[in-house]
Amino acid sequence: NIADYKKIMIVGNAGSGKTTLALKLAKIVDLPVYHLDQYYWKPGWERTDRVEFTHIHAELCEKDRWIIEGCNLSWLSDRVAGAELLIFLDMPRYQCLWRVLKRCVLYYDKVIPGMAIECKQRITGFKFLEFLRWVWHFKNRSRVKIVDHIERAAQVGKRVVVLKSRQEVSEF
């Protein structure tokens, strides 16, 4: 039963639906949601200092109850260690790219749910093109690391759920 879990981690590519799933799950299981982007990004899309974010991330993972959603692979092992339920949204690349583009148009010049204040959606500029490139190459670069972490977690008895489509997310 999903309500038995007090620490739930959601990971996946940008546009995979992490924030949406976290918010829906929070209503069902009555857990606080922590969106890593709100801690990692400062106004104007400036990154938080690595040491500062490491401290913030550790504090979040030490809480008694949580849903933590985000990618931030440098700190993934800490979330995996603390989580009781690990959810990997392993969505198709084209779907993630489409959802990123769609939200950038729908939320243009606005802050999307789960994002840091003053980090407005833009569809122009070099940073946005780099972001799209990151989304496109996620399967080749990041997916392997995530799969490695969750496979090891499953071997020690943690519950791991891999969802590969919107239908699977809905059924879950």
Side-chain angles (χ1 to χ4, degrees):
N1 184 357
I2 195 158
D4 295 336
Y5 298 102
K6 301 299 176 220
K7 295 182 177 185
I8 301 172
M9 178 194 93
I10 304 172
V11 67
N13 197 356
S16 63
K18 297 181 302 293
T19 301
T20 302
L21 178 59
L23 294 172
K24 286 181 181 179
L25 276 180
K27 289 179 182 177
I28 295 167
V29 298
D30 192 33
L31 290 173
V33 177
Y34 300 99
H35 308 280
L36 291 180
D37 282 345
Q38 290 181 337
Y39 300 92
Y40 186 75
W41 294 104
K42 292 187 175 194
W45 294 101
E46 295 299 322
R47 286 181 172 87
T48 297
D49 173 77
R50 187 170 182 81
V51 173
E52 180 184 351
F53 185 76
T54 299
H55 178 71
I56 291 166
H57 188 270
E59 284 183 349
L60 293 175
C61 291
E62 289 169 9
K63 291 181 181 287
D64 293 334
R65 305 169 69 248
W66 46 258
I67 297 173
I68 297 178
E69 67 90 2
C71 203
N72 306 78
L73 294 182
S74 296
W75 297 270
L76 182 61
S77 59
D78 294 334
R79 288 194 305 285
V80 168
E84 299 168 354
L85 170 61
L86 295 79
I87 302 171
F88 176 29
L89 298 180
D90 191 16
M91 300 297 169
R93 173 189 337 210
Y94 70 88
Q95 182 180 354
C96 294
L97 199 58
W98 166 249
R99 289 177 76 177
V100 165
L101 290 167
K102 181 178 160 184
R103 79 177 178 210
C104 285
V105 170
L106 293 176
Y107 288 92
Y108 181 76
D109 209 32
K110 295 181 178 102
V111 177
I112 62 171
M115 183 49 69
I117 57 167
E118 296 183 38
C119 287
K120 296 178 180 178
Q121 294 298 293
R122 301 275 195 241
I123 53 174
T124 58
F126 182 72
K127 281 186 177 182
F128 182 68
L129 292 176
E130 281 297 307
F131 177 59
L132 291 179
R133 192 168 162 241
W134 185 87
V135 172
W136 183 257
H137 292 289
F138 179 87
K139 287 241 186 234
N140 304 338
R141 295 181 184 161
S142 304
R143 185 181 182 279
V144 175
K145 295 174 187 172
I146 293 169
V147 168
D148 181 53
H149 276 85
I150 63 174
E151 283 178 350
R152 283 189 274 137
Q155 289 171 355
V156 297
K158 293 197 181 216
R159 177 152 183 229
V160 172
V161 176
V162 179
L163 304 170
K164 295 183 176 237
S165 69
R166 290 183 359 205
Q167 181 178 344
E168 287 182 9
V169 171
S170 295
E171 290 170 1
F172 175 76

